[in-house]
């Protein structure tokens, strides 16, 4: 059965922070994206995927202006409003029976084999989501890293029939509709350590790398090679 894989990144298309519509905010977040996430996308061993980076409709023109002044992105990475992103997804998936949409934040990483894993897997017919419970937490400011486990993290994949997605169907999360509710859907787990959740200069107060499980510098370098090179 033919399949297409998409990575969906919410850049500034929702949220209460009015700063997310300003040039300063956009340029700062773009710098973070280029420093981290872009490397994992370019490192994917299978480049047959589309990344849509979703913008608020108010900042679409401003972001295009910012992008025009920077090094061009690969052709399979597109910034656009929600409507533009859906159009790009449908054009990319045309002719494929299945559409897998993986979620990623604009400052995190997937393993460089992740796209290939999504083409190789043969989930059960009733499965609606693939969940990555195993990964790493990396404090890029203090250069500390440790293995991480989350029962229902923000690193997951929705499985669609392309025709149903094109007709407007979207997976609805139960309960409060947060990442923690994905585990309540019919799901399967992806075994590898597939993600790096990054702490950087703009979010340093959020998470702390546990001291007991920290990797050595050599181990960290080996992990990052598997995600960014």
């Amino acid at each position: 059965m033919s399949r297409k894989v998409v990575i969906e990144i919410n850049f500034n298309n929702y949220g209460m922070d009015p700063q997310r519509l300003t040039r300063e905010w956009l340029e700062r977040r773009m710098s973070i994206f280029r420093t981290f996430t872009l490397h994992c996308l370019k490192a994917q061993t299978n480049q047959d995927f589309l990344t849509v980076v979703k913008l608020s409709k108010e900042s679409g023109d401003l972001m295009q202006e910012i992008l025009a002044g920077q090094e061009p992105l690969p052709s399979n990475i597109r910034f656009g409003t929600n409507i533009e992103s859906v159009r790009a997804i449908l054009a990319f998936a045309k002719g494929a029976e299945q559409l897998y949409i993986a979620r990623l934040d604009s400052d995190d990483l997937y393993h460089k084999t992740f796209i290939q894993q999504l083409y190789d897997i043969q989930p059960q017919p009733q499965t609606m989501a693939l969940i990555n419970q195993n990964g790493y937490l990396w404090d890029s400011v203090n250069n500390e890293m440790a293995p991480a486990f989350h029962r229902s993290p923000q690193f997951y994949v929705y499985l669609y029939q392309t025709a149903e997605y094109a007709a407007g169907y979207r997976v609805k999360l139960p309960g409060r509709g947060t990442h923690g509710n994905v585990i309540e859907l019919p799901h399967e787990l992806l075994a590898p350590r597939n993600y790096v959740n990054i702490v950087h200069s703009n979010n340093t107060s959020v998470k702390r790398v546990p001291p007991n499980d920290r990797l050595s510098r050599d181990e960290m370098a080996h992990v990052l090679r598997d995600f960014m090179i």
Side-chain angles (χ1 to χ4, degrees):
M1 188 174 286
S2 57
R3 179 182 305 172
K4 286 292 187 180
V5 173
V6 170
I7 292 181
E8 193 171 71
I9 295 174
N10 292 319
F11 197 72
N12 75 331
N13 50 316
Y14 68 89
M16 302 301 290
D17 181 4
Q19 294 302 309
R20 68 188 172 85
L21 304 178
T22 65
R23 176 182 288 273
E24 182 185 9
W25 191 98
L26 291 167
E27 288 179 341
R28 185 172 68 244
R29 293 297 301 193
M30 190 62 193
S31 175
I32 293 168
F33 172 78
R34 285 183 177 274
T35 300
F36 300 111
T37 309
L38 179 59
H39 289 282
C40 93
L41 300 175
K42 292 169 77 170
Q44 290 299 311
T45 58
N46 185 333
Q47 285 291 313
D48 184 16
F49 68 97
L50 173 69
T51 299
V52 292
V53 188
K54 295 164 77 173
L55 302 167
S56 71
K57 62 181 184 296
E58 299 93 339
S59 57
D61 290 344
L62 178 55
M63 194 65 210
Q64 296 307 325
E65 184 185 317
I66 292 169
L67 287 167
Q70 298 181 344
E71 181 183 343
L73 294 169
S75 60
N76 62 344
I77 301 175
R78 316 263 183 85
F79 278 72
T81 63
N82 189 62
I83 291 174
E84 291 166 342
S85 296
V86 170
R87 285 182 188 144
I89 290 170
L90 291 175
F92 176 69
K94 188 175 182 180
E97 296 163 272
Q98 298 178 326
L99 174 61
Y100 284 15
I101 299 185
R103 186 195 175 281
L104 183 64
D105 286 323
S106 61
D107 54 0
D108 290 328
L109 309 174
Y110 273 131
H111 193 277
K112 65 184 179 183
T113 65
F114 184 63
I115 296 297
Q116 187 61 52
Q117 291 175 46
L118 297 185
Y119 278 111
D120 291 342
I121 193 169
Q122 297 300 328
Q124 295 300 309
Q126 72 274 15
T127 298
M128 297 175 67
L130 304 174
I131 298 176
N132 294 284
Q133 292 182 324
N134 299 300
Y136 298 92
L137 178 62
W138 176 30
D139 182 340
S140 65
V141 177
N142 296 307
N143 206 23
E144 298 166 347
M145 179 184 284
F149 171 87
H150 290 286
R151 181 171 174 269
S152 188
Q154 66 264 41
F155 302 94
Y156 51 85
V157 186
Y158 286 148
L159 313 187
Y160 290 102
Q161 297 300 312
T162 305
E164 292 181 352
Y165 183 90
Y169 168 71
R170 300 293 184 271
V171 174
K172 291 286 189 291
L173 286 172
R176 295 167 57 202
T178 63
H179 304 318
N181 298 113
V182 178
I183 199 86
E184 298 169 40
L185 296 171
H187 67 275
E188 295 179 36
L189 303 176
L190 295 172
R193 289 199 176 276
N194 270 335
Y195 66 83
V196 175
N197 190 193
I198 301 177
V199 178
H200 50 77
S201 57
N202 280 351
N203 66 4
T204 45
S205 63
V206 179
K207 295 174 182 174
R208 292 281 181 258
V209 176
N212 295 342
D213 301 325
R214 286 180 189 166
L215 304 183
S216 70
R217 293 299 164 91
D218 285 347
E219 290 169 328
M220 279 180 54
H222 179 75
V223 169
L224 291 176
R225 278 197 297 273
D226 282 343
F227 281 82
M228 296 178 72
I229 298 175

mmCIF file of all heavy atoms in Angstrom, residues 52-85:
data_model
loop_
_atom_site.group_PDB
_atom_site.id
_atom_site.type_symbol
_atom_site.label_atom_id
_atom_site.label_comp_id
_atom_site.label_asym_id
_atom_site.label_seq_id
_atom_site.Cartn_x
_atom_site.Cartn_y
_atom_site.Cartn_z
ATOM 1 N N VAL A 52 5.935 20.574 6.815
ATOM 2 C CA VAL A 52 5.179 21.825 6.772
ATOM 3 C C VAL A 52 5.367 22.532 8.111
ATOM 4 O O VAL A 52 5.169 21.944 9.168
ATOM 5 C CB VAL A 52 3.681 21.609 6.463
ATOM 6 C CG1 VAL A 52 3.500 21.117 5.040
ATOM 7 C CG2 VAL A 52 3.011 20.657 7.444
ATOM 8 N N VAL A 53 5.815 23.773 8.042
ATOM 9 C CA VAL A 53 6.039 24.598 9.238
ATOM 10 C C VAL A 53 4.938 25.654 9.242
ATOM 11 O O VAL A 53 4.907 26.533 8.381
ATOM 12 C CB VAL A 53 7.436 25.243 9.219
ATOM 13 C CG1 VAL A 53 7.721 25.927 10.556
ATOM 14 C CG2 VAL A 53 8.514 24.193 8.921
ATOM 15 N N LYS A 54 4.024 25.539 10.207
ATOM 16 C CA LYS A 54 2.770 26.281 10.135
ATOM 17 C C LYS A 54 2.862 27.647 10.822
ATOM 18 O O LYS A 54 3.308 27.753 11.966
ATOM 19 C CB LYS A 54 1.646 25.437 10.732
ATOM 20 C CG LYS A 54 1.396 24.187 9.899
ATOM 21 C CD LYS A 54 0.592 23.141 10.626
ATOM 22 C CE LYS A 54 -0.869 23.497 10.658
ATOM 23 N NZ LYS A 54 -1.666 22.371 11.223
ATOM 24 N N LEU A 55 2.415 28.660 10.078
ATOM 25 C CA LEU A 55 2.477 30.057 10.521
ATOM 26 C C LEU A 55 1.080 30.596 10.766
ATOM 27 O O LEU A 55 0.113 30.166 10.138
ATOM 28 C CB LEU A 55 3.140 30.916 9.440
ATOM 29 C CG LEU A 55 4.552 30.535 9.005
ATOM 30 C CD1 LEU A 55 4.914 31.280 7.728
ATOM 31 C CD2 LEU A 55 5.552 30.850 10.110
ATOM 32 N N SER A 56 0.993 31.581 11.672
ATOM 33 C CA SER A 56 -0.252 32.329 11.804
ATOM 34 C C SER A 56 -0.490 33.105 10.513
ATOM 35 O O SER A 56 0.459 33.535 9.842
ATOM 36 C CB SER A 56 -0.169 33.303 12.978
ATOM 37 O OG SER A 56 0.722 34.361 12.659
ATOM 38 N N LYS A 57 -1.750 33.288 10.174
ATOM 39 C CA LYS A 57 -2.045 33.998 8.916
ATOM 40 C C LYS A 57 -1.578 35.448 8.975
ATOM 41 O O LYS A 57 -1.264 36.044 7.954
ATOM 42 C CB LYS A 57 -3.539 33.922 8.593
ATOM 43 C CG LYS A 57 -4.469 34.553 9.588
ATOM 44 C CD LYS A 57 -5.924 34.382 9.136
ATOM 45 C CE LYS A 57 -6.900 35.094 10.047
ATOM 46 N NZ LYS A 57 -6.915 34.553 11.414
ATOM 47 N N GLU A 58 -1.462 36.020 10.198
ATOM 48 C CA GLU A 58 -1.024 37.413 10.330
ATOM 49 C C GLU A 58 0.453 37.588 10.003
ATOM 50 O O GLU A 58 0.886 38.680 9.638
ATOM 51 C CB GLU A 58 -1.274 37.927 11.757
ATOM 52 C CG GLU A 58 -2.724 37.928 12.191
ATOM 53 C CD GLU A 58 -3.112 36.655 12.925
ATOM 54 O OE1 GLU A 58 -2.412 35.631 12.766
ATOM 55 O OE2 GLU A 58 -4.111 36.692 13.648
ATOM 56 N N SER A 59 1.251 36.526 10.157
ATOM 57 C CA SER A 59 2.703 36.687 9.976
ATOM 58 C C SER A 59 3.233 35.969 8.746
ATOM 59 O O SER A 59 4.457 35.886 8.568
ATOM 60 C CB SER A 59 3.447 36.202 11.232
ATOM 61 O OG SER A 59 3.120 34.868 11.528
ATOM 62 N N GLY A 60 2.349 35.462 7.897
ATOM 63 C CA GLY A 60 2.797 34.745 6.709
ATOM 64 C C GLY A 60 3.698 35.576 5.820
ATOM 65 O O GLY A 60 4.786 35.142 5.424
ATOM 66 N N ASP A 61 3.280 36.815 5.514
ATOM 67 C CA ASP A 61 4.067 37.673 4.622
ATOM 68 C C ASP A 61 5.395 38.065 5.250
ATOM 69 O O ASP A 61 6.440 38.071 4.583
ATOM 70 C CB ASP A 61 3.274 38.938 4.257
ATOM 71 C CG ASP A 61 2.095 38.640 3.347
ATOM 72 O OD1 ASP A 61 2.063 37.542 2.757
ATOM 73 O OD2 ASP A 61 1.195 39.499 3.240
ATOM 74 N N LEU A 62 5.367 38.379 6.558
ATOM 75 C CA LEU A 62 6.589 38.779 7.258
ATOM 76 C C LEU A 62 7.592 37.626 7.276
ATOM 77 O O LEU A 62 8.796 37.822 7.051
ATOM 78 C CB LEU A 62 6.260 39.227 8.684
ATOM 79 C CG LEU A 62 7.439 39.625 9.574
ATOM 80 C CD1 LEU A 62 8.284 40.714 8.931
ATOM 81 C CD2 LEU A 62 6.931 40.068 10.954
ATOM 82 N N MET A 63 7.098 36.408 7.501
ATOM 83 C CA MET A 63 8.000 35.257 7.540
ATOM 84 C C MET A 63 8.598 34.989 6.170
ATOM 85 O O MET A 63 9.791 34.644 6.059
ATOM 86 C CB MET A 63 7.246 34.019 8.041
ATOM 87 C CG MET A 63 8.153 32.882 8.420
ATOM 88 S SD MET A 63 9.192 33.297 9.833
ATOM 89 C CE MET A 63 10.630 32.305 9.487
ATOM 90 N N GLN A 64 7.820 35.162 5.127
ATOM 91 C CA GLN A 64 8.365 34.971 3.777
ATOM 92 C C GLN A 64 9.461 35.996 3.485
ATOM 93 O O GLN A 64 10.457 35.697 2.822
ATOM 94 C CB GLN A 64 7.247 35.059 2.732
ATOM 95 C CG GLN A 64 6.195 33.960 2.852
ATOM 96 C CD GLN A 64 6.762 32.552 2.866
ATOM 97 O OE1 GLN A 64 7.741 32.249 2.202
ATOM 98 N NE2 GLN A 64 6.133 31.665 3.643
ATOM 99 N N GLU A 65 9.287 37.211 3.998
ATOM 100 C CA GLU A 65 10.313 38.248 3.841
ATOM 101 C C GLU A 65 11.590 37.863 4.575
ATOM 102 O O GLU A 65 12.703 38.025 4.057
ATOM 103 C CB GLU A 65 9.753 39.571 4.384
ATOM 104 C CG GLU A 65 10.667 40.763 4.207
ATOM 105 C CD GLU A 65 10.086 42.006 4.876
ATOM 106 O OE1 GLU A 65 8.866 42.237 4.738
ATOM 107 O OE2 GLU A 65 10.852 42.720 5.538
ATOM 108 N N ILE A 66 11.433 37.337 5.793
ATOM 109 C CA ILE A 66 12.592 36.892 6.575
ATOM 110 C C ILE A 66 13.307 35.752 5.859
ATOM 111 O O ILE A 66 14.540 35.742 5.718
ATOM 112 C CB ILE A 66 12.148 36.461 7.997
ATOM 113 C CG1 ILE A 66 11.673 37.681 8.800
ATOM 114 C CG2 ILE A 66 13.288 35.750 8.730
ATOM 115 C CD1 ILE A 66 10.981 37.328 10.103
ATOM 116 N N LEU A 67 12.527 34.785 5.373
ATOM 117 C CA LEU A 67 13.109 33.629 4.683
ATOM 118 C C LEU A 67 13.862 34.047 3.422
ATOM 119 O O LEU A 67 14.894 33.464 3.084
ATOM 120 C CB LEU A 67 12.012 32.623 4.325
ATOM 121 C CG LEU A 67 11.427 31.820 5.487
ATOM 122 C CD1 LEU A 67 10.152 31.101 5.045
ATOM 123 C CD2 LEU A 67 12.451 30.817 6.004
ATOM 124 N N ALA A 68 13.339 35.058 2.739
ATOM 125 C CA ALA A 68 13.953 35.512 1.485
ATOM 126 C C ALA A 68 15.359 36.056 1.713
ATOM 127 O O ALA A 68 16.186 36.052 0.793
ATOM 128 C CB ALA A 68 13.076 36.572 0.829
ATOM 129 N N GLY A 69 15.638 36.508 2.934
ATOM 130 C CA GLY A 69 16.953 37.051 3.240
ATOM 131 C C GLY A 69 17.912 36.036 3.831
ATOM 132 O O GLY A 69 19.021 36.395 4.235
ATOM 133 N N GLN A 70 17.495 34.773 3.893
ATOM 134 C CA GLN A 70 18.326 33.729 4.494
ATOM 135 C C GLN A 70 18.684 32.657 3.480
ATOM 136 O O GLN A 70 18.148 32.626 2.377
ATOM 137 C CB GLN A 70 17.578 33.099 5.689
ATOM 138 C CG GLN A 70 17.272 34.078 6.811
ATOM 139 C CD GLN A 70 16.564 33.413 7.979
ATOM 140 O OE1 GLN A 70 16.043 32.309 7.874
ATOM 141 N NE2 GLN A 70 16.543 34.113 9.109
ATOM 142 N N GLU A 71 19.579 31.781 3.884
ATOM 143 C CA GLU A 71 19.940 30.659 3.024
ATOM 144 C C GLU A 71 18.697 29.849 2.673
ATOM 145 O O GLU A 71 17.902 29.528 3.561
ATOM 146 C CB GLU A 71 20.954 29.763 3.746
ATOM 147 C CG GLU A 71 21.423 28.579 2.932
ATOM 148 C CD GLU A 71 22.375 27.688 3.714
ATOM 149 O OE1 GLU A 71 22.921 28.139 4.736
ATOM 150 O OE2 GLU A 71 22.567 26.538 3.276
ATOM 151 N N PRO A 72 18.491 29.518 1.415
ATOM 152 C CA PRO A 72 17.281 28.789 1.028
ATOM 153 C C PRO A 72 17.160 27.451 1.753
ATOM 154 O O PRO A 72 18.154 26.768 1.999
ATOM 155 C CB PRO A 72 17.459 28.584 -0.478
ATOM 156 C CG PRO A 72 18.425 29.644 -0.904
ATOM 157 C CD PRO A 72 19.340 29.858 0.266
ATOM 158 N N LEU A 73 15.936 27.093 2.078
ATOM 159 C CA LEU A 73 15.659 25.814 2.714
ATOM 160 C C LEU A 73 15.523 24.729 1.645
ATOM 161 O O LEU A 73 15.213 25.016 0.493
ATOM 162 C CB LEU A 73 14.358 25.902 3.520
ATOM 163 C CG LEU A 73 14.382 26.842 4.727
ATOM 164 C CD1 LEU A 73 12.969 27.046 5.264
ATOM 165 C CD2 LEU A 73 15.293 26.279 5.823
ATOM 166 N N PRO A 74 15.737 23.461 2.022
ATOM 167 C CA PRO A 74 15.468 22.379 1.078
ATOM 168 C C PRO A 74 14.029 22.444 0.570
ATOM 169 O O PRO A 74 13.132 22.930 1.272
ATOM 170 C CB PRO A 74 15.705 21.116 1.922
ATOM 171 C CG PRO A 74 16.640 21.554 3.007
ATOM 172 C CD PRO A 74 16.260 22.970 3.317
ATOM 173 N N SER A 75 13.802 21.924 -0.616
ATOM 174 C CA SER A 75 12.481 22.056 -1.244
ATOM 175 C C SER A 75 11.394 21.297 -0.504
ATOM 176 O O SER A 75 10.207 21.571 -0.701
ATOM 177 C CB SER A 75 12.552 21.572 -2.694
ATOM 178 O OG SER A 75 12.948 20.215 -2.735
ATOM 179 N N ASN A 76 11.767 20.326 0.343
ATOM 180 C CA ASN A 76 10.745 19.563 1.070
ATOM 181 C C ASN A 76 10.460 20.137 2.464
ATOM 182 O O ASN A 76 9.842 19.479 3.296
ATOM 183 C CB ASN A 76 11.138 18.086 1.185
ATOM 184 C CG ASN A 76 12.431 17.862 1.967
ATOM 185 O OD1 ASN A 76 13.201 18.796 2.189
ATOM 186 N ND2 ASN A 76 12.668 16.622 2.360
ATOM 187 N N ILE A 77 10.891 21.375 2.701
ATOM 188 C CA ILE A 77 10.565 22.086 3.945
ATOM 189 C C ILE A 77 9.849 23.375 3.562
ATOM 190 O O ILE A 77 10.438 24.254 2.933
ATOM 191 C CB ILE A 77 11.824 22.390 4.776
ATOM 192 C CG1 ILE A 77 12.546 21.075 5.135
ATOM 193 C CG2 ILE A 77 11.468 23.170 6.033
ATOM 194 C CD1 ILE A 77 13.869 21.278 5.843
ATOM 195 N N ARG A 78 8.578 23.498 3.917
ATOM 196 C CA ARG A 78 7.753 24.628 3.486
ATOM 197 C C ARG A 78 7.162 25.355 4.685
ATOM 198 O O ARG A 78 6.507 24.739 5.527
ATOM 199 C CB ARG A 78 6.596 24.133 2.618
ATOM 200 C CG ARG A 78 6.969 23.093 1.589
ATOM 201 C CD ARG A 78 7.220 23.669 0.238
ATOM 202 N NE ARG A 78 7.502 22.609 -0.715
ATOM 203 C CZ ARG A 78 6.584 21.918 -1.362
ATOM 204 N NH1 ARG A 78 5.296 22.191 -1.185
ATOM 205 N NH2 ARG A 78 6.932 20.969 -2.210
ATOM 206 N N PHE A 79 7.364 26.651 4.732
ATOM 207 C CA PHE A 79 6.686 27.501 5.704
ATOM 208 C C PHE A 79 5.404 28.029 5.069
ATOM 209 O O PHE A 79 5.415 28.483 3.910
ATOM 210 C CB PHE A 79 7.571 28.683 6.103
ATOM 211 C CG PHE A 79 8.592 28.366 7.152
ATOM 212 C CD1 PHE A 79 9.705 27.581 6.861
ATOM 213 C CD2 PHE A 79 8.447 28.845 8.450
ATOM 214 C CE1 PHE A 79 10.654 27.300 7.830
ATOM 215 C CE2 PHE A 79 9.394 28.563 9.428
ATOM 216 C CZ PHE A 79 10.487 27.792 9.115
ATOM 217 N N GLY A 80 4.295 28.010 5.829
ATOM 218 C CA GLY A 80 3.052 28.537 5.287
ATOM 219 C C GLY A 80 1.946 28.552 6.324
ATOM 220 O O GLY A 80 2.080 27.955 7.401
ATOM 221 N N THR A 81 0.867 29.235 6.011
ATOM 222 C CA THR A 81 -0.294 29.253 6.901
ATOM 223 C C THR A 81 -0.925 27.860 6.943
ATOM 224 O O THR A 81 -0.549 26.963 6.172
ATOM 225 C CB THR A 81 -1.339 30.256 6.413
ATOM 226 O OG1 THR A 81 -1.802 29.821 5.117
ATOM 227 C CG2 THR A 81 -0.755 31.660 6.303
ATOM 228 N N ASN A 82 -1.900 27.691 7.810
ATOM 229 C CA ASN A 82 -2.555 26.390 7.929
ATOM 230 C C ASN A 82 -3.156 25.950 6.588
ATOM 231 O O ASN A 82 -2.992 24.800 6.167
ATOM 232 C CB ASN A 82 -3.638 26.436 9.008
ATOM 233 C CG ASN A 82 -4.190 25.055 9.312
ATOM 234 O OD1 ASN A 82 -3.465 24.178 9.759
ATOM 235 N ND2 ASN A 82 -5.474 24.847 9.040
ATOM 236 N N ILE A 83 -3.831 26.858 5.923
ATOM 237 C CA ILE A 83 -4.455 26.528 4.633
ATOM 238 C C ILE A 83 -3.387 26.150 3.611
ATOM 239 O O ILE A 83 -3.513 25.158 2.884
ATOM 240 C CB ILE A 83 -5.302 27.711 4.121
ATOM 241 C CG1 ILE A 83 -6.536 27.894 5.013
ATOM 242 C CG2 ILE A 83 -5.718 27.505 2.675
ATOM 243 C CD1 ILE A 83 -7.358 29.122 4.689
ATOM 244 N N GLU A 84 -2.320 26.939 3.549
ATOM 245 C CA GLU A 84 -1.233 26.636 2.616
ATOM 246 C C GLU A 84 -0.583 25.289 2.933
ATOM 247 O O GLU A 84 -0.209 24.533 2.026
ATOM 248 C CB GLU A 84 -0.186 27.752 2.658
ATOM 249 C CG GLU A 84 -0.678 29.076 2.076
ATOM 250 C CD GLU A 84 0.224 30.251 2.411
ATOM 251 O OE1 GLU A 84 1.045 30.147 3.357
ATOM 252 O OE2 GLU A 84 0.108 31.268 1.725
ATOM 253 N N SER A 85 -0.461 24.982 4.231
ATOM 254 C CA SER A 85 0.163 23.724 4.648
ATOM 255 C C SER A 85 -0.687 22.532 4.236
ATOM 256 O O SER A 85 -0.170 21.521 3.752
ATOM 257 C CB SER A 85 0.390 23.726 6.165
ATOM 258 O OG SER A 85 1.308 24.742 6.534
#
